[in-house]
């Protein structure tokens, strides 16, 4: 195995001492291996924050393309995998928090929606570093996506942090309730949270029927079906 292969393997393994030695011997810090992955890409994926900081200090580009298909960025990977310490290292290096990479991923959306409940610490960290709580990824905000996936705690966290919802957000919650009767309870909790944050949403004509149903004044909901 050549020195470049040793570097990427050491980064993948989290061997900071070997990474430092190889860099000292002149291995290119951002040189890709035979699979197109750099040492930083692999260290981020595995959550090795100490190696990430070492590589950035040695000149690695913290906003380089990353991922198996070069579709992402280090920050997006770290946010999606829940690697809080790596996210902090990248933000300390000045990485921007907006939509990025070939697929225009929004780190805040990824942090809010990956895993069963999202990654609350990373969401707070990104917001503290200037991430736009209303950033749009594929026509939905982080709150919209959290509603879509039925993530009750994340919906409440985003609302507490200042996220605002629209008629579309509430309509989505209602539609998900109908499509997924097995998850009815959590979607009803989400609807309650949205209405508590802004009761005026119920004045919109497109959701008045749904709000009437929530308050018990409307017709019985149609038969539930899974989408």
């Amino acid at each position: 195995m050549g020195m470049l292969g040793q570097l990427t393997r050491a980064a993948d393994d989290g061997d900071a001492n070997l990474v430092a030695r190889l860099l000292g011997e002149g291995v290119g810090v951002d040189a890709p291996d035979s699979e197109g992955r750099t040492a930083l890409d692999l260290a981020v994926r595995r959550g090795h924050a100490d190696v990430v900081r070492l590589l950035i200090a040695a000149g690695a580009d913290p906003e380089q393309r990353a991922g198996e298909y070069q579709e992402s960025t280090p920050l997006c990977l770290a946010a999606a995998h829940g690697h809080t310490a790596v996210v902090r290292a990248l933000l300390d290096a000045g990485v921007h928090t907006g939509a990025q990479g070939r697929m225009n991923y929004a780190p805040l959306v990824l942090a809010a929606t990956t895993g069963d409940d999202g990654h609350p610490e990373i969401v707070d960290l990104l917001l503290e570093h200037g991430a736009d709580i209303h950033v749009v990824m594929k026509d939905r905000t982080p709150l919209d996506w959290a509603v879509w996936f039925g993530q009750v705690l994340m919906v409440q966290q985003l609302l507490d942090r200042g996220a605002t919802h629209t008629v579309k957000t509430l309509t989505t919650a209602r539609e998900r309730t109908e499509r997924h009767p097995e998850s009815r309870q959590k979607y009803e909790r989400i609807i309650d949270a949205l209405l508590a944050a802004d009761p005026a949403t119920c004045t919109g004509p497109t959701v008045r029927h749904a709000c009437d149903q929530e308050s018990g004044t409307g017709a019985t909901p149609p038969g539930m079906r899974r989408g």
Side-chain angles (χ1 to χ4, degrees):
M1 179 185 296
M3 293 178 67
L4 176 57
Q6 293 179 51
L7 175 65
T8 53
R9 174 174 289 185
D12 195 52
D13 291 341
D15 189 340
N17 290 330
L18 181 54
V19 168
R21 181 172 66 80
L22 290 167
L23 291 174
E25 293 176 4
V27 181
V29 67
D30 275 340
D33 64 11
S34 59
E35 296 181 356
R37 310 293 291 267
T38 66
L40 180 64
D41 184 357
L42 295 170
V44 166
R45 182 185 67 170
R46 296 296 188 187
H48 302 311
D50 54 342
V51 175
V52 169
R53 289 186 181 277
L54 176 61
L55 291 167
I56 291 174
D61 178 5
E63 296 187 348
Q64 63 185 262
R65 289 189 176 185
E68 185 177 1
Y69 303 104
Q70 302 283 291
E71 77 286 1
S72 192
T73 65
L75 183 59
C76 286
L77 288 181
H81 284 89
H83 298 321
T84 305
V86 173
V87 169
R88 189 182 300 278
L90 292 166
L91 293 174
D92 287 347
V95 171
H96 77 95
T97 59
Q100 53 195 261
R102 186 163 53 84
M103 305 299 291
N104 284 321
Y105 289 140
L108 185 60
V109 171
L110 298 177
T113 59
T114 51
D116 293 337
D117 298 306
H119 305 293
E121 291 184 4
I122 294 178
V123 167
D124 283 342
L125 189 57
L126 289 168
L127 291 174
E128 289 163 8
H129 281 77
D132 180 4
I133 200 167
H134 298 117
V135 65
V136 173
M137 183 176 116
K138 297 183 179 179
D139 298 322
R140 297 181 189 273
T141 67
L143 180 61
D144 291 335
W145 280 115
V147 168
W148 177 269
F149 288 116
Q151 294 173 309
V152 180
L153 296 179
M154 183 54 64
V155 167
Q156 190 61 61
Q157 179 179 356
L158 291 168
L159 290 172
D160 290 344
R161 292 300 303 258
T164 58
H165 62 283
T166 64
V167 168
K168 173 184 174 182
T169 313
L170 186 58
T171 301
T172 296
R174 188 64 203 176
E175 290 174 348
R176 299 295 283 175
T177 305
E178 295 176 353
R179 288 178 178 271
H180 298 281
E182 75 284 0
S183 301
R184 182 183 183 90
Q185 185 176 23
K186 68 180 181 181
Y187 281 111
E188 288 180 342
R189 289 174 62 192
I190 286 173
I191 291 170
D192 287 344
L194 294 174
L195 294 179
D198 183 10
T201 307
C202 261
T203 61
T206 61
V207 296
R208 188 176 294 119
H209 178 62
C211 293
D212 288 343
Q213 289 177 355
E214 287 303 312
S215 62
T217 61
T220 301
M224 298 298 180
R225 61 188 183 278
R226 184 177 181 87

